[in-house]
Amino acid sequence: MALAQDNIDEKLGRTLQKLREASGMSQTALAIATGLHPQQIRNFERGTEQISASDLCKLSELFGIPPSDFLKGQD
């Protein structure tokens, strides 16, 4: 069963927020670490902006997980 795009964006955003909070980083610190704008991080976490493949790879590398883990176990 395929997920609607909005659901995928929201799921990625929830996972990103959980990973960021677990690492003790602020949205600003995460933005600096990845070269993204803090507003992008906020929008990603809200699910209102799609995470590009290149940004997902940056985030995955920073958190030490494969990109596919952003969609696992977050139901």
Side-chain angles (χ1 to χ4, degrees):
M1 176 190 213
L3 291 171
Q5 185 62 46
D6 288 345
N7 289 339
I8 292 171
D9 295 336
E10 290 171 9
K11 185 175 246 190
L12 290 171
R14 283 192 306 270
T15 302
L16 175 58
Q17 183 175 9
K18 287 178 183 181
L19 289 166
R20 178 184 59 76
E21 290 174 349
S23 71
M25 296 179 84
S26 66
Q27 290 177 334
T28 301
L30 179 57
I32 291 168
T34 56
L36 299 169
H37 192 277
Q39 185 64 43
Q40 284 180 284
I41 301 298
R42 283 189 283 283
N43 290 343
F44 290 161
E45 289 185 359
R46 291 181 187 138
T48 59
E49 184 174 335
Q50 292 181 359
I51 302 175
S52 70
S54 60
D55 290 340
L56 184 60
C57 288
K58 286 180 196 176
L59 293 164
S60 296
E61 185 175 324
L62 178 72
F63 292 115
I65 62 170
S68 60
D69 281 4
F70 273 82
L71 292 172
K72 291 182 182 175
Q74 299 297 320
D75 296 324

